[in-house]
Amino acid sequence: MLNLTDRSQLHFIPRVREAFSFLMSAGFSEVEALPTLVRYRKDGIGVDVHHGRQSYEIGCGFTVAGIRYSLSDFMRVTDPELAKTYRLRAATSPESVATGLEDLSVMVQRYGAVVLSGDPQFLAIVSERREQWLQEYSLDVQAKQIRPQAESAFRQGDYAKAAELYGLMRERLSPAEAKKLAFAEGRRVG
């Protein structure tokens, strides 16, 4: 039976070195190798390949000019549909670590190549879009918090409150909620 407290049995470091050898070929240097983290650097670009200490998820992060990026940040620009479904893979056996790292390597080469080459224009696009994604996420969270209150106020006939609450999440209303808002606004005035 595999002892998961002894990460050396998972062969993470040698598997990272195999799967990410393309980084060395591209001029990156390995600067740190720990049981759950291998770091590469070249000029102002860093790549950290990690194996979650508690989650056992295999993933990587990028640091460019002191700013951290995830692989999904790059995927959102180049393949937004895939980015919506992309998830890190947990790996708890030597085989799943090897397979997970091989798959991650392919993804990094596909979606991180522009960054690894140091293209500043792509990073500018990612940073700009990151702001948009954060705003969208903020609106989604706000709507999730307000929606139950608006529905409750509408059901209770408190149309002034329902109109106010639905109005706060106007950009996230379903067609049915938009009708409720219009109805509540009409009842509030009348």
Side-chain angles (χ1 to χ4, degrees):
M1 179 166 200
L2 190 64
N3 176 2
L4 290 179
T5 59
D6 180 9
R7 291 290 183 104
S8 67
Q9 296 178 23
L10 297 176
H11 310 292
F12 178 72
I13 295 171
R15 296 294 180 249
V16 169
R17 289 175 176 153
E18 288 172 23
F20 286 81
S21 62
F22 70 91
L23 290 174
M24 301 294 278
S25 300
F28 282 79
S29 300
E30 181 183 304
V31 295
E32 187 172 18
L34 302 170
T36 59
L37 175 70
V38 179
R39 292 185 175 182
Y40 296 91
R41 297 284 179 271
K42 175 185 171 186
D43 302 327
I45 302 170
V47 179
D48 300 340
V49 182
H50 56 83
H51 191 211
R53 290 184 183 169
Q54 294 180 352
S55 69
Y56 287 84
E57 292 177 334
I58 292 180
C60 71
F62 302 83
T63 305
V64 183
I67 300 171
R68 294 278 302 159
Y69 298 94
S70 68
L71 183 58
S72 61
D73 286 334
F74 306 143
M75 292 171 75
R76 283 187 199 120
V77 171
T78 56
D79 192 343
E81 290 306 309
L82 179 62
K84 289 178 186 175
T85 61
Y86 176 73
R87 300 291 178 267
L88 299 179
R89 178 187 297 179
T92 57
S93 71
E95 297 78 18
S96 62
V97 166
T99 302
L101 287 168
E102 290 166 12
D103 293 347
L104 181 61
S105 171
V106 169
M107 300 296 274
V108 168
Q109 290 177 70
R110 181 176 299 147
Y111 298 103
V114 178
V115 174
L116 297 175
S117 70
D119 183 343
Q121 289 179 325
F122 182 74
L123 287 174
I125 293 168
V126 171
S127 294
E128 181 182 303
R129 298 247 179 102
R130 197 184 236 185
E131 285 301 314
Q132 293 170 349
W133 301 322
L134 288 173
Q135 289 173 359
E136 292 291 318
Y137 180 72
S138 176
L139 290 172
D140 290 342
V141 169
Q142 182 183 24
K144 273 187 177 176
Q145 293 172 342
I146 294 171
R147 184 168 278 117
Q149 297 169 32
E151 289 170 356
S152 175
F154 188 86
R155 274 194 311 273
Q156 294 172 5
D158 187 348
Y159 297 118
K161 184 164 183 86
E164 175 189 342
L165 292 169
Y166 280 129
L168 291 173
M169 56 180 227
R170 190 175 301 270
E171 294 180 35
R172 292 294 186 266
L173 293 178
S174 69
E177 290 168 335
K179 288 179 182 176
K180 287 180 180 179
L181 172 59
F183 179 85
E185 287 176 333
R187 292 293 296 252
R188 182 176 63 178
V189 174

